[in-house]
Amino acid sequence: WNVQLEPDYIVQNPILDLVEVKKKYSGQISRLVFIGRLSVEKQASWIISLGKLTSLPVLVIGDGLLREDLETQSKDSLVSTEFLGFVEDPWKNIENGDLLIVPSAFEGDGLVPIEAFKRNIPVLLNDINDFRRFALPEINYCLEIQGFAERISQFRFNSEKFVVPESCVEKNMTNRSPSDAASRWIEILSRLA
């Protein structure tokens, strides 16, 4: 990751079919959410900066080496932030009015956004090549912190604008069943044997 080499093999993470009923997310954005490892490449500090720029509270789900720094940044910025740490099923904490922010500087498979798409959760992604491969509408991509803040302000009362269309979701779910991943691994390992 974060190198200009093409990988020899790619196996997408499998996604299980959702048993839960998909919720409808719409209306005013009332909270910004970050889900993931609190490490440098995930750029979790952007969520605190966005909370300050938009005057919105923040929910951080995940843990890592930067947690203490983020807690300090939150206090210093006077941003109302809740840190949940690691949560087995982070999606149970998502409510109507939440907007998932994925500011990664680079990404592998991008499991958090993929799972959000599948659940109809409004999402904004950093405009990087690793996320461009999802081929989402332009509205879901933002450049830098200021771009995120402007997009949030522009559609503050229409969070549904950030829900990924079903046609894009379906394309991004291709080859993500557990049997597809297993078949791909068998193929790769057979070549290497």
Side-chain angles (χ1 to χ4, degrees):
W1 294 317
N2 201 28
V3 292
Q4 300 304 316
L5 302 174
E6 285 293 319
D8 292 328
Y9 307 103
I10 296 174
V11 179
Q12 295 177 322
N13 286 310
I15 304 284
L16 298 174
D17 284 333
L18 293 178
V19 177
E20 64 205 55
V21 176
K22 288 185 180 181
K23 297 179 184 176
K24 282 276 194 190
Y25 295 92
S26 62
Q28 183 172 343
I29 299 167
S30 56
R31 181 171 67 172
L32 305 178
V33 178
F34 175 91
I35 298 173
R37 189 172 60 255
L38 305 182
S39 56
V40 174
E41 73 278 5
K42 300 297 184 182
Q43 300 190 128
S45 63
W46 285 27
I47 194 86
I48 308 298
S49 298
L50 282 170
K52 184 164 182 68
L53 286 170
T54 61
S55 300
L56 287 168
V58 169
L59 174 64
V60 176
I61 302 173
D63 218 336
L65 296 173
L66 298 180
R67 180 168 178 165
E68 193 173 306
D69 292 343
L70 292 169
E71 289 173 343
T72 300
Q73 179 188 355
S74 174
K75 287 176 189 164
D76 291 348
S77 301
L78 303 174
V79 174
S80 173
T81 308
E82 182 179 5
F83 289 88
L84 294 185
F86 173 79
V87 174
E88 182 99 15
D89 182 2
W91 308 109
K92 289 183 179 179
N93 296 283
I94 304 299
E95 303 169 354
N96 193 47
D98 285 348
L99 175 60
L100 180 67
I101 304 294
V102 188
S104 301
F106 58 92
E107 193 65 63
D109 189 28
L111 203 50
V112 168
I114 287 286
E115 290 192 22
F117 306 161
K118 185 117 171 115
R119 288 174 168 79
N120 290 332
I121 295 168
V123 61
L124 287 178
L125 306 175
N126 195 12
D127 194 353
I128 58 174
N129 287 337
D130 298 329
F131 289 149
R132 278 290 175 175
R133 67 186 159 76
F134 295 141
L136 304 181
E138 285 301 310
I139 196 168
N140 294 101
Y141 294 104
C142 300
L143 276 173
E144 303 299 324
I145 294 170
Q146 194 57 44
F148 278 91
E150 289 169 7
R151 187 70 46 83
I152 292 165
S153 295
Q154 183 180 6
F155 296 102
R156 187 151 192 162
F157 298 99
N158 301 95
S159 66
E160 62 273 13
K161 293 280 190 183
F162 303 124
V163 173
V164 174
E166 190 61 35
S167 59
C168 288
V169 174
E170 287 175 18
K171 285 179 189 171
N172 282 292
M173 291 304 126
T174 304
N175 301 324
R176 288 193 176 273
S177 73
S179 61
D180 288 336
S183 295
R184 184 73 175 128
W185 276 115
I186 290 168
E187 176 189 331
I188 291 168
L189 294 173
S190 295
R191 282 190 205 165
L192 296 174

